[in-house]
Amino acid sequence: MSLTAGIVGLPNVGKSTLFNAITNQKILAENYPFATIEPNVGIVTVPDERMDKLKDMYNPERFIPTAYEFTDIAGLVKGASKGEGLGNKFLSHIREVDAIVEVVRCFDNGKIIHVEGNIDPIRDIETINLELSIADLDIINNRLEKVKKKARTTKDKDSLLEVEALEKAKTALETNVALRQVDFSKEEKNILKSYSFLTIKPIIYLANIDEQELGQPDNEYVKLVKEYATRENAQVVSLCAKTEEDLSELDDSDKQEMLEVLGLESSGLDKLIKATYDILGLATYFTVGKDEVRAWTFKKGMNAKECAGIIHTDFEKGFIRAEVISYEDLIECGSELKVKEAGKARLEGKEYLMQDGDICHFRFNV
């Protein structure tokens, strides 16, 4: 399934450098605003040590890890909701992503221009979040009166619920509360989904720090970002985008050596990718064999039949059952045969909720 995280931020905070590191693509990353105009999309492999163990166990002809998309979106400036900078183009690109990675500059460097003239991460965050909120409010205000009129005239249940949900959203935004922080009911969420509101998308704040601060206690800028993120129950990942770009150009052994020199156990990108995967509510199941070991991304809460459809629609239409073993049982027992001998292999029906790490073989008939 295709899901996308969008990298956003003010101009010159390190978005394009970060994107280069994520995808190892050489896109334009220059020291002036709006170096990125059209969104750049890259496919990112999700780091998963389980795949390495499955590869060693099966020695397959094909080895396909799970992945998702990162989109690098042009820098936003104050007034974007009113058309400043790239304005509506920027906002439309954000509407197309499933989650937001908001890059915040947390280092001083007089050689790199900041669009506001000085470093203030909270101001930068609030600039972006305010523009997203204004854009959401504009949609609500344009729609609300029309829905209210319909609800008054028809007394239609769905229209009345839509009015209630929109008014709840409007109240939140007018009091500087992002929609992701509002406790909407399941019915309200379904109604609001069609609006593609910007502030309802899950968010990670990425604190871009100087290389000299890697492995050190958080600087004052990062501390401020973490305090802000805590108030809205958001995650913060700290990394140096330039270092990550350098690491992305190395082979595995050289990368590990550089991480050790820097005093890091893993790259910041690995942490970011895993965190983004988590906030999107994603998990992984596997299909295995001598021909192919493959990881498949699914939304937590999907059942076996729906997950079968990720491989092919025919699998879902003609679903009979899923033969399932857990990754942990496979590693503990050493082979599929020994898992079965231990009585730990299962036959699951269409309503079975797929679990992260399930290894599946789907039976179907069409």
Side-chain angles (χ1 to χ4, degrees), residues 223-328:
K223 289 178 182 177
L224 289 171
V225 174
K226 287 188 173 180
E227 288 174 10
Y228 185 97
T230 298
R231 293 196 293 272
E232 59 175 70
N233 198 30
Q235 296 187 46
V236 177
V237 174
S238 297
L239 56 72
C240 172
K242 186 64 180 71
T243 298
E244 297 297 331
E245 184 180 30
D246 293 341
L247 284 168
S248 72
E249 297 174 349
L250 304 176
D251 60 31
D252 288 344
S253 60
D254 289 341
K255 178 179 177 180
Q256 189 58 43
E257 184 178 338
M258 183 172 175
L259 285 173
E260 290 173 3
V261 169
L262 294 170
L264 303 175
E265 292 183 6
S266 62
S267 73
L269 280 182
D270 284 353
K271 295 176 183 176
L272 173 62
I273 293 168
K274 289 178 180 178
T276 309
Y277 200 70
D278 181 58
I279 68 165
L280 285 172
L282 303 180
T284 303
Y285 75 85
F286 306 100
T287 52
V288 297
K290 289 295 183 183
D291 58 336
E292 178 182 277
V293 167
R294 182 163 181 165
W296 300 88
T297 301
F298 68 97
K299 273 275 192 181
K300 293 175 183 177
M302 290 179 69
N303 62 38
K305 184 178 179 181
E306 292 168 328
C307 286
I310 294 171
I311 299 177
H312 198 285
T313 54
D314 284 350
F315 282 33
E316 183 172 6
K317 290 176 183 176
F319 181 90
I320 298 173
R321 65 178 181 271
E323 299 174 5
V324 182
I325 61 177
S326 74
Y327 170 82
E328 289 77 13

Side-chain angles (χ1 to χ4, degrees), residues 92-360:
S92 68
H93 290 156
I94 301 180
R95 292 194 196 286
E96 295 170 3
V97 305
D98 301 290
I100 295 172
V101 175
E102 187 169 323
V103 182
V104 187
R105 181 168 161 182
C106 292
F107 65 91
D108 293 302
N109 187 331
K111 296 180 181 180
I112 301 177
I113 303 164
H114 190 288
V115 70
E116 294 289 348
N118 68 310
I119 308 303
D120 184 341
I122 303 306
R123 175 205 58 208
D124 294 355
I125 289 173
E126 291 180 342
T127 294
I128 289 180
N129 291 356
L130 177 61
E131 295 302 327
L132 302 185
S133 294
I134 292 172
D136 283 351
L137 270 172
D138 284 346
I139 291 175
I140 292 172
N141 290 331
N142 289 335
R143 175 66 177 164
L144 194 52
E145 284 308 312
K146 296 175 184 176
V147 181
K148 279 184 177 180
K149 184 176 180 180
K150 180 181 178 182
R152 284 194 299 266
T153 303
T154 66
K155 304 298 181 183
D156 176 66
K157 181 181 178 181
D158 289 340
S159 296
L160 289 168
L161 185 57
E162 185 173 2
V163 169
E164 184 178 328
L166 289 174
E167 287 185 332
K168 189 174 180 178
K170 181 177 180 180
T171 298
L173 292 169
E174 288 178 340
T175 54
N176 297 318
V177 177
L179 298 185
R180 72 180 71 89
Q181 297 173 255
V182 180
D183 185 22
F184 292 111
S185 68
K186 183 177 180 180
E187 293 77 11
E188 288 170 336
K189 288 179 181 178
N190 287 335
I191 286 173
L192 297 178
K193 189 180 297 184
S194 63
Y195 289 99
S196 297
F197 286 128
L198 304 174
T199 65
I200 208 167
K201 298 178 185 294
I203 193 168
I204 289 176
Y205 293 106
L206 189 144
N208 187 16
I209 62 176
D210 188 85
E211 184 176 41
Q212 302 302 317
E213 297 177 322
L214 288 171
Q216 303 299 313
D218 294 337
N219 66 33
E220 292 306 310
Y221 295 140
V222 176
K223 289 178 182 177
L224 289 171
V225 174
K226 287 188 173 180
E227 288 174 10
Y228 185 97
T230 298
R231 293 196 293 272
E232 59 175 70
N233 198 30
Q235 296 187 46
V236 177
V237 174
S238 297
L239 56 72
C240 172
K242 186 64 180 71
T243 298
E244 297 297 331
E245 184 180 30
D246 293 341
L247 284 168
S248 72
E249 297 174 349
L250 304 176
D251 60 31
D252 288 344
S253 60
D254 289 341
K255 178 179 177 180
Q256 189 58 43
E257 184 178 338
M258 183 172 175
L259 285 173
E260 290 173 3
V261 169
L262 294 170
L264 303 175
E265 292 183 6
S266 62
S267 73
L269 280 182
D270 284 353
K271 295 176 183 176
L272 173 62
I273 293 168
K274 289 178 180 178
T276 309
Y277 200 70
D278 181 58
I279 68 165
L280 285 172
L282 303 180
T284 303
Y285 75 85
F286 306 100
T287 52
V288 297
K290 289 295 183 183
D291 58 336
E292 178 182 277
V293 167
R294 182 163 181 165
W296 300 88
T297 301
F298 68 97
K299 273 275 192 181
K300 293 175 183 177
M302 290 179 69
N303 62 38
K305 184 178 179 181
E306 292 168 328
C307 286
I310 294 171
I311 299 177
H312 198 285
T313 54
D314 284 350
F315 282 33
E316 183 172 6
K317 290 176 183 176
F319 181 90
I320 298 173
R321 65 178 181 271
E323 299 174 5
V324 182
I325 61 177
S326 74
Y327 170 82
E328 289 77 13
D329 288 340
L330 178 63
I331 297 302
E332 181 182 344
C333 295
S335 71
E336 288 185 55
L337 178 60
K338 289 181 179 179
V339 171
K340 292 175 182 177
E341 289 175 347
K344 294 184 177 181
R346 311 187 308 275
L347 293 178
E348 301 288 359
K350 62 183 180 181
E351 297 303 326
Y352 168 72
L353 295 182
M354 195 69 73
Q355 301 298 306
D356 183 59
D358 278 348
I359 297 171
C360 303

